[in-house]
Amino acid sequence: MKYGIMSDIHSNLAALESVLIAMEIAKVDKIICLGDIVGYGPNPNECVERINKIDGLILAGNHDLASIGWEDAEWFNSHAKEAILWTEGQLTAKNKEYLSHLPEVISQKDFILVHGSLYHFTDEYIMTGATAKKSFDLMKHRKLLLIGHTHYPATFFRKQGQLTEVSPIQNLRLTDGDVLRLSNDIQSIISVGSVGQPRDGDNRASFGIFDIETMTVTIKKIPYDIKKTQGQMVEAGLPKYLISRLAMGR
Ligand code: ZN
């Protein structure tokens, strides 16, 4: 069984289409989407409709909730807020309805899925050992937590010995081609980065392949038509900073 893992599409249809094609080529059986289908980019309805067609495990992110009025946009920075208000005005009633039914956490036998963290499902960023620890403790016996939200491919992990003995939390940043081997004595939190607004300095769309048989997660980065998305953002009148950051991957 192979899962294609993606997160933070942010209304970037060109990036989403490229990732879906790459996942088809990689022969994934099921898609996991860790939230933030919309926000920032020019194609909110197209992205929701594309994801809606997928038979997968799909979560809500903070931008999805803010764009349907369920989370206060005041909490976002000015560029994000401007894009959220624009998105709210664009989304059809049907697509808002779809976003309103997405779960904030999914727990399966082999893993847990959440946009932010187990401490706060949609809003907390796991960027430090201290925030990772809070979620590790809430995972209890479970070994793998897949997250989005940071737009940054990385992993936190810690070895678990007998009884309650645990070793210190370690952290690795990840890039294209990196393969993480999961095992029963290691607890891992993994972010595969962002499809539609990468922030790790590499402007390519980021995603992951989780192979249950080999117990590996592989990070993939692929180019997409950035200029196409930027052109659509100019036409939509979205903030200049959000347009330029796509090319920088920051
Ligand atoms: Zn995001």
Side-chain angles (χ1 to χ4, degrees):
M1 175 78 171
K2 258 194 213 175
Y3 289 96
I5 311 165
M6 62 162 88
S7 190
D8 297 275
I9 296 155
H10 286 297
S11 301
N12 187 339
L13 185 65
L16 174 61
E17 293 285 7
S18 298
V19 167
L20 287 172
I21 289 167
M23 285 188 174
E24 213 179 302
I25 292 168
K27 295 192 167 37
V28 308
D29 300 295
K30 205 168 187 133
I31 286 173
I32 289 170
C33 175
L34 296 157
D36 280 2
I37 299 165
V38 302
Y40 296 128
N43 318 112
N45 286 308
E46 295 88 335
C47 288
V48 172
E49 283 151 19
R50 199 71 188 76
I51 293 293
N52 192 359
K53 281 196 200 125
I54 292 169
D55 165 35
L57 303 171
I58 318 292
L59 290 179
N62 55 328
H63 284 255
D64 302 319
L65 299 182
S67 299
I68 57 170
W70 283 16
E71 186 165 316
D72 194 349
E74 293 306 317
W75 290 101
F76 291 80
N77 70 48
S78 62
H79 302 299
K81 188 174 139 191
E82 199 179 327
I84 279 164
L85 296 176
W86 180 85
T87 302
E88 191 170 9
Q90 296 290 313
L91 281 171
T92 64
K94 190 173 169 231
N95 288 336
K96 283 185 183 169
E97 169 87 11
Y98 172 78
L99 293 175
S100 76
H101 287 113
L102 294 177
E104 292 181 15
V105 63
I106 295 177
S107 182
Q108 301 263 306
K109 185 170 85 50
D110 297 302
F111 50 81
I112 313 173
L113 311 174
V114 75
H115 182 66
S117 78
L118 290 183
Y119 190 75
H120 195 300
F121 295 156
T122 54
D123 284 78
E124 188 181 54
Y125 290 89
I126 300 185
M127 298 286 270
T128 64
T131 45
K133 184 181 183 304
K134 290 195 289 177
S135 283
F136 274 135
D137 292 345
L138 291 168
M139 282 164 72
K140 309 257 180 315
H141 62 281
R142 284 169 290 196
K143 303 300 173 201
L144 177 63
L145 173 65
L146 296 171
I147 58 164
H149 200 36
T150 64
H151 296 216
Y152 197 97
T155 181
F156 290 86
F157 58 97
R158 69 180 185 185
K159 254 191 159 315
Q160 271 185 318
Q162 297 294 314
L163 304 169
T164 57
E165 174 204 330
V166 284
S167 60
I169 293 168
Q170 297 181 66
N171 172 218
L172 271 181
R173 61 177 295 181
L174 303 169
T175 189
D176 186 40
D178 282 346
V179 181
L180 296 169
R181 289 182 195 288
L182 309 172
S183 85
N184 264 340
D185 60 349
I186 294 175
Q187 260 189 322
S188 304
I189 297 174
I190 299 172
S191 158
V192 300
S194 166
V195 170
Q197 197 203 74
R199 294 180 191 162
D200 57 337
D202 181 336
N203 65 17
R204 294 176 294 172
S206 198
F207 65 100
I209 306 284
F210 174 26
D211 188 327
I212 293 274
E213 267 84 73
T214 58
M215 285 307 276
T216 55
V217 175
T218 305
I219 303 296
K220 303 263 191 194
K221 300 214 78 169
I222 51 158
Y224 73 95
D225 193 345
I226 295 178
K227 289 225 152 60
K228 184 175 177 184
T229 301
Q230 287 179 317
Q232 292 168 339
M233 289 173 83
V234 171
E235 254 172 59
L238 286 160
K240 281 200 178 67
Y241 168 70
L242 296 180
I243 299 170
S244 60
R245 77 183 301 180
L246 288 183
M248 298 184 286
R250 291 223 179 267

